[in-house]
């Protein structure tokens, strides 16, 4: 931590800051410039976190030097994490594709989808049983019945399964049926839910919040990991910007940034990011080329009749074709699929 | 709902859309332009919500005409709502000031604060017992013990009290001690929590999400109101933008926009919006002049030692002075304080 | 300038950075923490601006401590600037209102408007003769003929005049007719135009860019001032965000931020910020209460027939009423109007 | 164009709107719903552009149906444009790489760079002679001397050349020396400059503005094309968002969106988008996989001593390696390089 004093700060103000630092059991280094004095703090800055040095007299600003996330930080764990979900490993050499409907609607829909995506090569079945919808009057999900349908489809096909959870009771249900829990974008800073997900023991798919910085995202992962659960997979799904041609703006820079800052795997969801079916294919390829560990792609037997997010869902033939088209690209990227 | 067809759409595509509309029991009007055909849907568009007309052949775009929120919509309730919190009314002629520390820390802090803000003229005591913090290693709040301190301070001073809730169990605790529940910005689209808050029976202070549109905000209010709880007060607290001079960008336009679109009261929180003590006073005045029904302003006996958000908290003398300074302004705005 | 080294940086990397600093004729202070070494640079950091220390080995990040703008910086000129435009002073005790049509259309329109706003109390006539329009097929302005109409209206009423300029030739024309040049939001980082405006000798109204930070805005002012022209007035007119209920998001926090960082006057344009007539009045009041030195408000004899931005223009009776309504507020703020 | 009336609009208001439409020589279709009346306008909506129907009585909103850009619109020209720059074609089967320094500094730097990028496979040399810099105290470019160095390097290597222009005089100089003019992000809505660039006769590289929507970007292209110059290449270079891990947020969705809406070629600049050297490689690959027609990548003989944007520049060996690595990817995408 560095404390930058205002130009021509009074000596008494500088002494006051030093006093706070030293009385917290920390050391300091002073750098006196022509106009500005800078104070470096040596030691565990956590001891100063409630000192509010920003508002001490003549303090211009505080610069933090170390990240607040530790468990998710590559600095403290240089090797890539590889996370086991069912019999599938995320973060290794294999490109992972999670696919399925936005919302679980009925048995046929889920089973048909599971069979179709399995055939195309996907490894994980996704499907929402608890749906966070902007309006209370939109379809809210089948809840536990939906989870059961997911389990049945997973059992029948050997696919691992992932479902979003939106409350403690949803977690308590989901752990009985699925292989991975998803924390959605709107709940990325629902810290209560993150802690409960951490305690669940299951691997967690953590979607980036609509306006979350990468730093906040890794801090959200830290909430889960601090509960003793190291199995977190990050999912970039678009951030909110002024552009309206796509539902959100897919931030593919997040892939190399996360790879640099963290050891956790990262996958990309072009379906929710764009909201437009025809953009899913080029952005799937872009995500693979950027180095993503996997993808989440929405599919539906009949998108025109989907109860949620139909316009962005691929049909089975479209999905199958996409999976075929990416194979040579995956190979070029030195991965398998 | 209006369906805009692509230029030179095939007649068969137009017929297909009409067929979907009519088979849903709705009527249509066709407007055939030189290049473009437009189809208006007449009747309850909710019947079409799962039809995904966006992806029917030759459809260019769907334009929705009516808002999805009803209970919070001024179109359906032209008169201002006035919400009772303790013995205070929000949304009427009196300007309401909620004040107190970001986080409840101990009995002295809360009681001192309650006495100081009461003396200055504030009507409602705020204080966080459940704190959503970016990092899991920051202070997370006193939880039920904090709620008890709030109740004691409210009882001693006659101030109404408001506390943020972050989970069902927090709600279950809070209803025993406080007069109003706050849903924080990070939980504005935690729909599970909104529903539970709606069932609590207490009035709800609903903060705007960091990247929530006004439309989404009113839909969030709708979640609470759809549970039979009409007592929602909105709170603008800054949105996330590219600007870094302030922590968030206070969107004061939201005040007249909400007044036009909704009958619910709206208050403004300049402390969280800016994160900087010296900007609180001018923006408090601006909020009053914009027509806000009240303010939420952080105060602390000793901001330099606050466990949360000290840099934006006012001291008691600063708060008292602010309350004095706004009195002539409140009068000019035809309100009382 | 502070250089933060990576954890466990090699001594040779630290020495390399020191070598660059010292060979540029500057001094350094080293602060060696448990994990991290920090190097403070003492002296004129401009000497290092092309050293690209960011990419020296083992450098984590560079923290700049001093602002790059000097002439517009309050640190180097503590007293408020008061700028003379015609016979009007901006930045002093008097609240200044600039008003008029978005685009100059014809003689009657300009003259009628000048008389109406003069009567209501405005001091400066605005009107666009060179219009930056999103589409090339929209009305582009009357150019020099428009400037002449502005001059005639200014002469007839004694109002000072301000017109936007969009090119060197526009500046060359405008200096012959008007009292103040406006640099529009889209040209805020047209550095060539800023320099030419600086050389013009006239006071400059510098609108904030749609996505300009306050720091960039003050650097744009610096371009003008570095040409020997200290007469710059800033104008907040809304920034681009995700919100669509208003055309832009008016950032009223910019008023106290600018007042703290700079000595230049700042006015607010609620018409362009919101794009909606009914929001102009509450935000005008809010701007005054936030401490703005003035306002820019669009008026038109017949908004329904305005060639540009009609929906946000006030009629004359609306403008007159607004000017009446703000008088007690101006008084409360210790200003005159 | 569709006019949506307010719920329960008065018949007189509806008649007034119809009257405006009909008196402009246009036809209308009325669609009367249970609560809302919708009026479709049939004919050339340009006739109504100054009618400001938004503010007619009882009008809720206006929905525009057709884009305002025509020449750049794929609807009116379904086939891809292929643009000739020197002897290179952009928009065809060959992937085009533009490379070179951010700023032209001296003869050696430019010549060395031209030889190195030519050897690696790049087809176009870029280099800034007129530099738009945030601060007036940063290096502003060699101007005409820089253009001469670019021409010499182009002549010596056979590479085509592209330089940014920032004023009419810069255009007048540049046409004498280079093969393509670049309009930079900060000037994307400098409509005066766009028109002059259109008149220059040279192909134009049009960078997306920092906060420009895709719609505004295509309208900016329209300004150039409306001057009779169809040779516009678009360049996505990152948009401004709240994220600070990268300098801007590269919007790769823009590639498929532009491909859908326009026939113009689009290239991607990962160097300016991220500002970080290590992110350039993964995002270059992602851009190719997304379907971009080319790339703009900064290189410098000695990034640590570059006068502008050193931290994002690749060294020659890094660039050469990148060009090698992308070859199999280009092949998979059915392109050549």
């Amino acid at each position: 931590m560095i404390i930058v004093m205002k130009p021509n700060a009074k000596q008494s103000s500088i002494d006051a800051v030093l006093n706070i630092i030293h009385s917290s059991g920390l050391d300091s280094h002073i750098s006196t410039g022509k106009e500005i004095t800078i104070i470096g703090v040596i030691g565990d800055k956590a001891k100063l976190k409630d000192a509010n040095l920003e508002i001490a007299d003549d303090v211009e600003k505080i610069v933090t030097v170390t990240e607040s996330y530790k468990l998710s930080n590559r600095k403290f764990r240089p090797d890539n994490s590889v996370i086991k979900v069912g019999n599938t490993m995320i973060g290794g050499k294999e490109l992972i594709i999670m696919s399925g409907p936005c919302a679980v609607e009925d048995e046929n829909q889920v089973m048909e989808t599971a069979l179709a995506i399995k055939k195309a090569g996907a490894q994980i079945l996704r499907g929402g049983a608890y749906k966070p919808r902007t309006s209370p009057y939109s379809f809210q999900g089948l809840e536990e019945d939906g989870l059961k349908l997911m389990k049945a489809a997973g059992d029948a096909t050997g696919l691992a399964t992932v479902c979003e959870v939106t409350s403690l009771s949803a977690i308590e249900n989901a752990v009985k049926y699925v292989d991975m829990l998803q924390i959605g974008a709107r709940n990325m800073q629902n810290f209560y839910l993150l802690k409960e997900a951490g305690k669940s023991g299951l691997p967690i798919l953590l979607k980036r919040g609509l306006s979350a910085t990468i730093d906040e995202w890794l801090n959200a992962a830290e909430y889960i990991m601090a509960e003793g659960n190291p199995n977190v997979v990050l999912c970039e799904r678009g951030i909110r910007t002024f552009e309206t041609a796509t539902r959100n703006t897919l931030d593919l820079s997040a892939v190399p940034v996360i790879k640099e800052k963290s050891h956790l795997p990262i996958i990309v969801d072009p379906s929710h990011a764009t909201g437009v079916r025809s953009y899913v294919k080029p952005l799937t390829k872009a995500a693979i080329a950027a180095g993503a560990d996997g993808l989440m792609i929405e599919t539906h037997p009949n998108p025109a009749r989907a109860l949620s997010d139909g316009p962005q869902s691929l049909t089975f033939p479209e999905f199958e074709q996409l999976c075929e088209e990416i194979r040579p690209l995956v190979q070029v990227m030195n991965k398998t699929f």
Side-chain angles (χ1 to χ4, degrees), chain A:
Chain A
M1 182 189 281
I2 301 165
I3 297 127
V4 181
M5 303 299 294
K6 288 196 173 142
N8 310 313
K10 289 187 295 293
Q11 187 58 43
S12 59
S13 304
I14 296 171
D15 290 343
V17 168
L18 291 173
N19 190 37
I20 293 171
I21 294 169
H22 300 156
S23 68
S24 302
L26 299 165
D27 278 340
S28 61
H29 261 266
I30 302 189
S31 168
T32 307
K34 276 204 180 135
E35 292 166 0
I36 287 170
T37 295
I38 291 162
I39 301 170
V41 178
I42 301 166
D44 177 10
K45 70 160 185 172
K47 293 181 183 166
L48 275 176
K49 75 181 152 52
D50 301 320
N52 290 315
L53 286 164
E54 291 93 323
I55 50 174
D57 284 346
D58 283 340
V59 168
E60 172 89 16
K61 64 173 170 181
I62 304 293
V63 178
T64 54
V65 170
T66 48
E67 293 90 0
S68 53
Y69 52 91
K70 305 294 174 199
L71 301 169
S72 58
N73 198 325
R74 191 179 280 278
K75 280 186 189 149
F76 305 111
R77 188 197 145 113
D79 293 338
N80 288 338
S81 284
V82 181
I83 313 287
K84 190 164 188 291
V85 179
N87 292 316
T88 297
M89 306 300 286
I90 308 183
K93 217 186 165 207
E94 190 181 3
L95 183 87
I96 300 302
I97 297 190
M98 307 181 178
S99 188
C102 185
V104 172
E105 296 165 19
D106 59 47
E107 186 175 352
N108 278 351
Q109 172 226 30
V110 180
M111 196 63 80
E112 267 185 65
T113 305
L115 291 166
I117 68 161
K118 165 95 177 177
K119 184 172 154 237
Q123 302 95 333
I124 300 181
L125 178 67
R126 64 146 288 156
Y130 300 85
K131 298 303 308 168
R133 303 296 296 274
T134 301
S135 162
Y137 310 121
S138 297
F139 176 60
Q140 307 274 319
L142 295 182
E143 308 198 343
E144 190 165 1
D145 288 344
L147 296 170
K148 288 179 183 168
L149 297 177
M150 286 293 288
K151 180 166 169 44
D155 288 347
T157 56
L159 293 169
T161 52
V162 58
C163 280
E164 179 167 357
V165 287
T166 55
S167 65
L168 175 54
S169 66
I171 291 177
E172 287 168 349
N173 278 333
V175 294
K176 295 183 277 180
Y177 302 106
V178 298
D179 299 307
M180 184 181 216
L181 304 181
Q182 175 183 314
I183 303 288
R186 284 167 189 75
N187 282 312
M188 194 205 85
Q189 290 198 315
N190 180 345
F191 301 117
Y192 172 81
L193 193 68
L194 294 173
K195 288 178 192 172
E196 295 297 335
K199 291 175 195 157
S200 73
L202 284 188
I204 307 297
L205 182 67
L206 178 64
K207 290 202 146 189
R208 182 179 183 183
L210 275 80
S211 65
T213 63
I214 289 174
D215 195 78
E216 289 169 338
W217 193 12
L218 288 172
N219 269 297
E222 195 79 6
Y223 264 94
I224 297 166
M225 299 171 86
E227 299 294 331
N229 185 344
N231 300 314
V232 177
V233 175
L234 302 168
C235 179
E236 161 65 29
R237 43 79 71 214
I239 56 175
R240 182 156 276 184
T241 71
F242 59 83
E243 177 59 63
T244 55
T246 44
R247 184 155 56 169
N248 300 285
T249 296
L250 183 65
D251 179 12
L252 277 182
S253 323
V255 175
V257 174
I258 286 289
K259 288 287 171 200
E260 186 177 273
K261 293 188 185 293
S262 177
H263 51 83
L264 296 174
I266 176 169
I267 70 166
V268 171
D269 176 350
S271 304
H272 281 92
T274 62
V276 179
R277 196 164 22 162
S278 62
Y279 303 155
V280 170
K281 190 193 283 188
L283 292 173
T284 292
K285 294 178 179 174
I288 295 168
D293 295 297
L295 288 139
M296 174 170 268
I297 296 170
E298 279 190 15
T299 44
H300 194 281
N302 182 0
R305 285 286 167 186
L307 293 183
S308 175
D309 282 341
Q312 76 204 24
S313 295
L314 302 190
T315 62
F316 298 155
E318 286 169 337
F319 181 70
E320 210 169 327
Q321 197 200 338
L322 175 58
C323 288
E324 280 317 299
E325 281 189 30
I326 63 172
R327 287 186 198 281
L329 177 59
V330 170
Q331 207 174 352
V332 163
M333 294 300 294
N334 263 319
K335 294 210 164 157
T336 60
F337 173 67

